[in-house]
């Protein structure tokens, strides 16, 4: 369990805790000469800006603007920490998983599993939609430079190195 960065809730409160099963960083992908580092977060009930703040801390640690220990502090249930929000552009819910539902409904064979990975029309639509979304995100970054602006703001406006010390 970890603190979910909910404003107005203390880190130790039950409503401020969430469960992450995994947070994986995947191999970089280059699309239209823009490098992306896909991340996959598997957990339950994420809240507003939560993933964006987690990404913000991870980016700052990766570029050595913050020490690695900041990750533990940021997720701590004992401390509150102000964290900037990474841009929403480039982040999207790619898939919902329904493992709990599929386990509970197993006694009722009339109900189908909800599984986006199963071969069939739903999987085909999901793959096509995912590619449309990715192309849109890449084009938006090329046109607007949202992430570049965010990086500039982190470094020169917020001076994030001082923020983490």
């Amino acid at each position: 369990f970890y603190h979910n960065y909910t404003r107005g809730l203390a880190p130790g409160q039950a409503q401020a805790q969430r469960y992450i099963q995994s947070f994986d960083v995947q191999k970089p992908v280059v699309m239209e000469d823009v490098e992306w580092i896909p991340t996959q977060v598997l957990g339950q009930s994420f809240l507003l800006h939560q993933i964006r703040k987690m990404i913000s801390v991870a980016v700052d640690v990766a570029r050595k603007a913050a020490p690695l220990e900041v990750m533990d502090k940021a997720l701590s249930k004992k401390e509150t920490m102000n964290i900037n929000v990474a841009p929403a552009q480039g982040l999207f819910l790619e898939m919902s998983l329904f493992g709990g539902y599929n386990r509970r409904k197993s006694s009722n064979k009339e109900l189908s599993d909800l599984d986006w990975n199963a071969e069939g029309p739903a999987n085909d639509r999901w793959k096509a939609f995912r590619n449309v979304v990715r192309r849109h995100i890449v084009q938006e970054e090329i046109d607007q430079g949202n992430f570049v602006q965010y990086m500039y703001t982190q470094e020169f406006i917020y001076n994030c190195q001082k923020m983490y010390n």
Side-chain angles (χ1 to χ4, degrees):
F1 288 96
Y2 61 93
H3 182 248
N4 68 9
Y5 308 108
T6 303
R7 183 179 283 180
L9 293 178
Q13 288 182 263
Q15 306 94 306
Q17 295 178 23
R18 293 294 182 268
Y19 178 71
I20 289 182
Q21 292 171 274
S22 64
F23 195 126
D24 297 319
V25 178
Q26 300 169 353
K27 291 182 180 180
V29 174
V30 177
M31 297 173 68
E32 303 290 332
D33 295 327
V34 177
E35 183 178 54
W36 299 87
I37 301 175
T39 56
Q40 184 178 54
V41 184
L42 183 60
Q44 296 173 336
S45 67
F46 300 117
L47 298 178
L48 183 65
H49 303 313
Q50 178 183 345
I51 301 298
R52 293 172 62 192
K53 288 184 175 190
M54 292 168 73
I55 293 293
S56 183
V57 171
V59 167
D60 287 342
V61 168
R63 66 188 191 89
K64 300 192 184 319
L68 182 59
E69 297 77 33
V70 166
M71 294 291 255
D72 290 331
K73 183 178 176 183
L75 296 171
S76 172
K77 293 187 278 184
K78 297 181 175 117
E79 301 186 49
T80 299
M81 183 176 183
N82 290 327
I83 298 173
N84 293 325
V85 179
Q89 292 79 5
L91 300 175
F92 67 99
L93 176 63
E94 184 167 315
M95 182 185 304
S96 294
L97 303 176
F98 300 97
Y101 167 82
N102 289 337
R103 281 190 300 280
R104 284 191 302 276
K105 67 99 197 139
S106 64
S107 61
N108 186 345
K109 298 300 178 193
E110 293 178 21
L111 297 173
S112 300
D113 280 352
L114 296 175
D115 184 359
W116 292 103
N117 290 317
E119 292 301 319
N123 182 271
D124 295 341
R125 285 191 304 272
W126 167 72
K127 286 179 183 175
F129 175 73
R130 177 183 62 189
N131 291 333
V132 168
V133 169
R134 286 180 176 173
R135 283 193 303 272
H136 172 77
I137 289 169
V138 169
Q139 191 59 52
E140 186 176 62
E141 183 61 28
I142 290 168
D143 293 344
Q144 299 175 13
N146 293 301
F147 199 79
V148 172
Q149 291 177 43
Y150 158 75
M151 295 298 292
Y152 178 86
T153 302
Q154 281 289 90
E155 191 66 32
F156 298 107
I157 306 298
Y158 293 128
N159 192 0
C160 70
Q161 290 183 359
K162 286 184 180 179
M163 179 176 73
Y164 293 118
N165 293 326

